[in-house]
Short mmCIF file of all heavy atoms in Angstrom, two decimals:
data_model
loop_
_atom_site.label_atom_id
_atom_site.label_comp_id
_atom_site.label_asym_id
_atom_site.label_seq_id
_atom_site.Cartn_x
_atom_site.Cartn_y
_atom_site.Cartn_z
N ASN A 359 -66.47 -96.11 49.56
CA ASN A 359 -65.38 -95.17 50.02
C ASN A 359 -64.83 -95.67 51.40
O ASN A 359 -63.63 -95.61 51.56
CB ASN A 359 -65.88 -93.76 50.10
CG ASN A 359 -66.01 -93.05 48.80
OD1 ASN A 359 -65.41 -93.57 47.80
ND2 ASN A 359 -66.74 -92.03 48.81
N LYS A 360 -65.67 -96.12 52.28
CA LYS A 360 -65.27 -96.54 53.60
C LYS A 360 -64.33 -97.73 53.58
O LYS A 360 -63.28 -97.68 54.17
CB LYS A 360 -66.44 -96.82 54.45
CG LYS A 360 -67.17 -95.62 55.05
CD LYS A 360 -68.32 -96.07 55.80
CE LYS A 360 -69.19 -94.89 56.07
NZ LYS A 360 -70.59 -95.34 56.58
N ILE A 361 -64.65 -98.68 52.72
CA ILE A 361 -63.81 -99.86 52.69
C ILE A 361 -62.60 -99.59 51.90
O ILE A 361 -61.51 -100.31 52.14
CB ILE A 361 -64.52 -101.19 52.12
CG1 ILE A 361 -65.00 -101.00 50.69
CG2 ILE A 361 -65.72 -101.43 53.03
CD1 ILE A 361 -65.31 -102.40 50.09
N THR A 362 -62.60 -98.69 50.90
CA THR A 362 -61.40 -98.37 50.08
C THR A 362 -60.37 -97.67 51.05
O THR A 362 -59.23 -97.98 50.91
CB THR A 362 -61.79 -97.39 48.94
OG1 THR A 362 -62.76 -98.13 48.01
CG2 THR A 362 -60.56 -97.08 48.14
N HIS A 363 -60.83 -96.76 51.85
CA HIS A 363 -59.95 -95.94 52.59
C HIS A 363 -59.59 -96.40 53.94
O HIS A 363 -58.62 -95.88 54.59
CB HIS A 363 -60.39 -94.46 52.49
CG HIS A 363 -60.57 -94.00 51.16
ND1 HIS A 363 -59.62 -93.74 50.36
CD2 HIS A 363 -61.69 -93.63 50.53
CE1 HIS A 363 -59.96 -93.24 49.20
NE2 HIS A 363 -61.31 -93.19 49.18
N ASN A 364 -60.37 -97.27 54.54
CA ASN A 364 -60.24 -97.61 55.96
C ASN A 364 -59.58 -98.95 56.30
O ASN A 364 -59.73 -99.26 57.39
CB ASN A 364 -61.60 -97.38 56.71
CG ASN A 364 -62.03 -95.94 56.64
OD1 ASN A 364 -61.26 -95.05 56.49
ND2 ASN A 364 -63.35 -95.62 56.84
N ILE A 365 -59.17 -99.65 55.42
CA ILE A 365 -58.65 -100.94 55.70
C ILE A 365 -57.45 -100.82 56.69
O ILE A 365 -57.37 -101.64 57.61
CB ILE A 365 -58.23 -101.76 54.45
CG1 ILE A 365 -57.95 -103.19 54.95
CG2 ILE A 365 -57.12 -101.16 53.74
CD1 ILE A 365 -57.91 -104.19 53.71
N THR A 366 -56.68 -99.84 56.51
CA THR A 366 -55.56 -99.63 57.56
C THR A 366 -55.52 -98.29 58.14
O THR A 366 -54.86 -98.03 59.05
CB THR A 366 -54.23 -100.02 56.91
OG1 THR A 366 -53.94 -99.09 55.82
CG2 THR A 366 -54.09 -101.45 56.48
N TYR A 367 -56.19 -97.27 57.52
CA TYR A 367 -56.03 -95.90 57.93
C TYR A 367 -56.72 -95.65 59.39
O TYR A 367 -57.78 -96.19 59.59
CB TYR A 367 -56.81 -94.97 56.97
CG TYR A 367 -56.68 -93.57 57.38
CD1 TYR A 367 -55.48 -92.81 57.25
CD2 TYR A 367 -57.75 -92.97 58.10
CE1 TYR A 367 -55.39 -91.51 57.68
CE2 TYR A 367 -57.67 -91.68 58.60
CZ TYR A 367 -56.47 -90.92 58.36
OH TYR A 367 -56.36 -89.67 58.91
N THR A 368 -55.92 -94.97 60.07
CA THR A 368 -56.49 -94.46 61.32
C THR A 368 -55.77 -93.05 61.51
O THR A 368 -54.81 -92.79 61.01
CB THR A 368 -56.15 -95.37 62.52
OG1 THR A 368 -56.80 -94.89 63.69
CG2 THR A 368 -54.74 -95.45 62.85
N ARG A 369 -56.41 -92.27 62.41
CA ARG A 369 -55.81 -90.97 62.73
C ARG A 369 -54.50 -91.23 63.33
O ARG A 369 -54.39 -92.05 64.27
CB ARG A 369 -56.66 -90.17 63.63
CG ARG A 369 -57.91 -89.54 62.95
CD ARG A 369 -58.73 -88.74 63.79
NE ARG A 369 -58.20 -88.34 65.05
CZ ARG A 369 -58.86 -88.05 66.12
NH1 ARG A 369 -60.15 -88.11 66.24
NH2 ARG A 369 -58.32 -87.71 67.26
N PRO A 370 -53.45 -90.53 62.96
CA PRO A 370 -52.15 -90.70 63.48
C PRO A 370 -52.07 -90.62 65.03
O PRO A 370 -51.21 -91.30 65.67
CB PRO A 370 -51.26 -89.66 62.86
CG PRO A 370 -51.97 -89.29 61.61
CD PRO A 370 -53.34 -89.46 61.93
N ASP A 371 -52.94 -89.76 65.62
CA ASP A 371 -52.89 -89.61 67.09
C ASP A 371 -53.63 -90.68 67.89
O ASP A 371 -53.48 -90.82 69.03
CB ASP A 371 -53.43 -88.18 67.53
CG ASP A 371 -54.86 -88.09 66.99
OD1 ASP A 371 -55.28 -88.50 65.95
OD2 ASP A 371 -55.63 -87.32 67.76
N LEU A 372 -54.45 -91.44 67.08
CA LEU A 372 -55.22 -92.56 67.81
C LEU A 372 -54.52 -93.92 67.83
O LEU A 372 -54.61 -94.57 68.89
CB LEU A 372 -56.59 -92.65 67.15
CG LEU A 372 -57.61 -91.53 67.41
CD1 LEU A 372 -58.84 -91.78 66.75
CD2 LEU A 372 -57.73 -91.26 68.86
N LYS A 373 -54.03 -94.42 66.77
CA LYS A 373 -53.42 -95.71 66.72
C LYS A 373 -54.42 -96.85 66.92
O LYS A 373 -54.03 -97.89 67.40
CB LYS A 373 -52.19 -95.77 67.59
CG LYS A 373 -51.14 -94.75 67.40
CD LYS A 373 -50.38 -94.96 66.25
CE LYS A 373 -49.09 -94.15 66.18
NZ LYS A 373 -49.27 -92.91 65.43
N SER A 374 -55.71 -96.52 66.81
CA SER A 374 -56.75 -97.47 67.02
C SER A 374 -57.79 -97.38 66.03
O SER A 374 -57.90 -96.31 65.34
CB SER A 374 -57.25 -97.39 68.45
OG SER A 374 -57.93 -96.16 68.61
N TYR A 375 -58.63 -98.33 65.88
CA TYR A 375 -59.65 -98.35 64.81
C TYR A 375 -61.11 -98.27 65.35
O TYR A 375 -61.32 -98.68 66.48
CB TYR A 375 -59.46 -99.53 63.94
CG TYR A 375 -58.18 -99.52 63.23
CD1 TYR A 375 -57.00 -100.25 63.84
CD2 TYR A 375 -58.03 -98.95 62.07
CE1 TYR A 375 -55.79 -100.13 63.18
CE2 TYR A 375 -56.78 -98.95 61.43
CZ TYR A 375 -55.74 -99.55 62.00
OH TYR A 375 -54.46 -99.49 61.36
N ALA A 376 -62.05 -97.67 64.55
CA ALA A 376 -63.32 -97.55 64.97
C ALA A 376 -64.09 -98.90 65.08
O ALA A 376 -65.08 -99.03 65.75
CB ALA A 376 -64.11 -96.61 64.09
N GLU A 377 -63.56 -99.77 64.24
CA GLU A 377 -64.22 -101.13 64.28
C GLU A 377 -63.19 -102.14 64.13
O GLU A 377 -62.03 -101.97 63.57
CB GLU A 377 -65.24 -101.29 63.18
CG GLU A 377 -64.63 -101.20 61.68
CD GLU A 377 -65.69 -101.29 60.57
OE1 GLU A 377 -66.69 -101.74 60.82
OE2 GLU A 377 -65.29 -100.78 59.55
N ALA A 378 -63.49 -103.35 64.76
CA ALA A 378 -62.51 -104.54 64.52
C ALA A 378 -62.40 -104.97 63.20
O ALA A 378 -63.26 -104.76 62.31
CB ALA A 378 -62.99 -105.65 65.44
N PHE A 379 -61.21 -105.66 62.84
CA PHE A 379 -60.97 -105.94 61.44
C PHE A 379 -62.05 -106.93 60.93
O PHE A 379 -62.41 -106.77 59.77
CB PHE A 379 -59.61 -106.74 61.37
CG PHE A 379 -59.19 -106.82 59.93
CD1 PHE A 379 -58.69 -105.78 59.16
CD2 PHE A 379 -59.25 -108.04 59.24
CE1 PHE A 379 -58.27 -105.85 57.87
CE2 PHE A 379 -58.82 -108.25 58.03
CZ PHE A 379 -58.27 -107.08 57.22
N PHE A 382 -64.92 -104.85 59.92
CA PHE A 382 -64.58 -104.21 58.65
C PHE A 382 -64.75 -105.09 57.50
O PHE A 382 -65.29 -104.67 56.48
CB PHE A 382 -63.10 -103.73 58.74
CG PHE A 382 -62.68 -103.16 57.43
CD1 PHE A 382 -62.90 -101.83 57.03
CD2 PHE A 382 -61.91 -103.91 56.53
CE1 PHE A 382 -62.54 -101.24 55.74
CE2 PHE A 382 -61.54 -103.42 55.31
CZ PHE A 382 -61.81 -102.15 54.95
#
Side-chain angles (χ1 to χ4, degrees):
N359 282 346
K360 287 176 192 169
I361 66 164
T362 300
H363 301 293
N364 292 340
I365 191 165
T366 59
Y367 178 79
T368 187
R369 285 183 13 209
D371 60 326
L372 290 181
K373 307 279 191 265
S374 64
Y375 297 92
E377 63 183 340
F379 193 76
F382 171 81

